[in-house]
Amino acid sequence: MADFCNQCAKDIDFPEGDFLTDREPPDPGMGYPELCESCGFTFVDHQGNCVYAECTKKHGA
């Protein structure tokens, strides 16, 4: 099954992304490493939002 960050999930009409977690929020400007099937290697916050400025879709820019 494909995994998507929240932004990519919205782009393809999924109800929400796959990286929602109960982990603690990361430090400001940081995130958890994940592999989104659409934007590639990225970092996401604890709510599954892509926060990586250099992802291929530029979500975190």
Side-chain angles (χ1 to χ4, degrees):
M1 180 164 173
D3 295 326
F4 298 99
C5 68
N6 285 339
Q7 293 95 320
C8 289
K10 288 177 187 172
D11 288 346
I12 58 173
D13 293 326
F14 271 39
E16 67 179 18
D18 299 300
F19 302 131
L20 182 63
T21 181
D22 58 358
R23 294 181 281 195
E24 292 293 318
D27 293 332
M30 301 295 290
Y32 300 107
E34 295 288 355
L35 179 62
C36 174
E37 296 294 329
S38 185
C39 64
F41 175 78
T42 190
F43 291 91
V44 297
D45 66 12
H46 68 289
Q47 295 178 326
N49 298 308
C50 178
V51 295
Y52 187 43
E54 297 183 29
C55 84
T56 59
K57 303 279 184 156
K58 303 294 184 200
H59 291 135

